[in-house]
Structure formats: C-alpha cells, structure tokens
Amino acid sequence: DTAVSQTPKYLVTQMGNDKSIKCEQNLGHDTMYWYKQDSKKFLKIMFSYNNKELIINETVPNRFSPKSPDKAHLNLHINSLELGDSAVYFCASSRVPLSYEQYFGPGTRLTVT
Amino acid sequence: AQSVAQPEDQVNVAEGNPLTVKCTYSVSGNPYLFWYVQYPNRGLQFLLKYITGDNLVKGSYGFEAEFNKSQTSFHLKKPSALVSDSALYFCAVRDIEAGNNRKLIWGLGTSLAVNP
C-alpha cells in the first residue's frame, strides 16, 4: 500500500490555466505538507496543515491555495499558472507529538508552457 | 538565524570505499537533525535522525551519522559505498523558532555519485 500518494504524477498545462494536485496519506498522520522543488533541487516548504488547520503558510503567491478536507487529504489548487510555477511539488506527512520525520509522496511534476 | 549547510554540491566515491556527506547546522537550543535521500524521479525518503542520546545514529541502508555538538556537524557516513547509493542527500534540522509547527530547515542537497 502506498503511504503518501499524489495525483497526477505529471501535469502539463498552459499559462493562465487553473490546476489542482491531490494528496492522500494512509499512515494515520495528523500533519501534512506541500513542498516545491525547483530545477536546482532546492526544497521549499509552502504550506502545512495539522488536523485540517493551516499552521505553516510561507511566502507563496496567493494564486496557490491549499485545502484539507480531512486529515488524510491535502490538495493544492493553483490559479493563473505562470512559467515560474514549473517544478516538482511534493506532499509529505508526519505524526504527533514530537516526530519530525516526514514521509514524502512521489511528487507531481508540473510543466507550464 | 537558523541554517543548515551542506558544503559540497557533489561527492564522488568509488564503489566499496567509505563515503561521507557533510552537514553543519546553526540553531539555538537542542537540534533535531535528519538525513533524507532522494533517488532520481522519486520523493524523499527518511534515512535517520538524531534527537538525543548516542551521538552515532544508525539508519536505513547501512548509513549512519555522527552528531558532533562542538563542531555543530551531523555528517552522513557509510563504510562501503554501493553504486545504488548514488542519489541526492538532504540534511535538515528542526526549526526551533517555528515552535510546535514541526517545520524543518533544509540544506541544499549533496549529489552523491558512486562509481563502479
């Protein structure tokens, strides 16, 4: 069974479109994250939810909007896509109370043309 | 300011030789330190962590790391490298200033190439 899954795996779209990426974890974790990994492999935290509450909201354009319908799911919606949004987006999860270990999904490679 | 540094962008080692991937950190308080590995076109995988206790931490795939408080380092090591160890390695430290938000500060990654 896949612990942290993301869909789609690849996403190719044009500038100006709106797209969503979905993430699900079956680990029973209470905290989920979205990361962006750019072409230089630099990893940047974007958002984190704990039990459906937004707890980390980094400096990210407001075109990016996360949504957590329940603690097992965290989605990322991106409006008005730009070329610079092209990257690999990773979802991750971790468990309370003191565990900082994060478990990552396989990533969604977004290409904006 | 809190930070993590991986001073080498790339490390090359021959198969069978010992490998070291370096990490230094700067945080206030007690550091929680982590190593992750990313194989090509894959997500990151947790390798090992140091929270407290023995300075030598053993992890997955035969890797270990040594916490050195005086040198503020947490270098990743393996006694005998395999070609399959070739990957991107990330060091991370708990962001203490983020409180209970369980945020990690990530290094920029070190690409390890093990040559047959």
Side-chain angles (χ1 to χ4, degrees):
Chain A
D1 286 344
T2 303
V4 182
S5 59
Q6 295 179 228
T7 55
K9 189 170 175 66
Y10 299 96
L11 187 52
V12 180
T13 189
Q14 292 184 328
M15 286 175 55
N17 285 350
D18 304 337
K19 290 293 179 185
S20 291
I21 307 172
K22 296 185 175 182
C23 178
E24 177 181 2
Q25 55 94 4
N26 62 7
L27 298 168
H29 290 173
D30 67 325
T31 303
M32 297 183 72
Y33 309 80
W34 277 114
Y35 285 89
K36 178 181 180 180
Q37 187 176 45
D38 63 20
S39 58
K40 295 185 178 180
K41 305 299 184 182
F42 178 61
L43 202 61
K44 175 182 166 60
I45 179 75
M46 299 174 71
F47 303 103
S48 177
Y49 272 76
N50 177 261
N51 282 325
K52 301 193 295 176
E53 178 187 356
L54 181 66
I55 59 171
I56 296 176
N57 187 358
E58 293 292 290
T59 306
V60 175
N62 58 15
R63 298 181 295 104
F64 291 79
S65 54
K67 186 172 183 179
S68 181
D70 55 61
K71 72 176 190 177
H73 296 84
L74 180 62
N75 302 325
L76 182 66
H77 188 76
I78 315 171
N79 289 325
S80 304
L81 278 154
E82 301 179 356
L83 293 176
D85 298 332
S86 295
V88 181
Y89 292 85
F90 287 104
C91 176
S93 70
S94 67
R95 188 176 70 180
V96 293
L98 294 177
S99 174
Y100 281 72
E101 299 159 43
Q102 296 180 14
Y103 293 82
F104 283 74
T108 295
R109 182 175 296 275
L110 172 65
T111 303
V112 183
T113 62
Chain B
Q2 302 179 108
S3 64
V4 172
Q6 293 181 242
E8 301 157 317
D9 290 337
Q10 179 145 352
V11 170
N12 294 294
V13 64
E15 187 174 28
N17 283 1
L19 70 86
T20 299
V21 183
K22 296 180 180 178
C23 174
T24 59
Y25 65 90
S26 174
V27 297
S28 56
N30 296 321
Y32 290 9
L33 294 154
F34 303 82
W35 276 103
Y36 286 78
V37 60
Q38 184 179 24
Y39 298 103
N41 300 313
R42 302 284 294 276
L44 280 73
Q45 294 179 35
F46 170 75
L47 274 181
L48 51 79
K49 67 180 178 184
Y50 171 83
I51 303 294
T52 187
D54 194 346
N55 288 344
L56 185 64
V57 179
K58 295 190 183 296
S60 306
Y61 312 122
F63 283 93
E64 58 189 27
E66 186 170 11
F67 170 63
N68 188 317
K69 188 173 184 178
S70 63
Q71 296 186 6
T72 63
S73 67
F74 189 56
H75 300 331
L76 182 70
K77 300 182 180 184
K78 188 173 182 181
S80 178
L82 300 172
V83 172
S84 57
D85 293 330
S86 299
L88 186 60
Y89 291 81
F90 289 95
C91 180
V93 65
R94 173 184 65 152
D95 183 342
I96 293 174
E97 294 174 4
N100 292 324
N101 288 343
R102 275 164 280 167
K103 181 181 171 186
L104 296 178
I105 299 170
W106 295 86
L108 296 182
T110 297
S111 179
L112 173 67
V114 181
N115 307 307

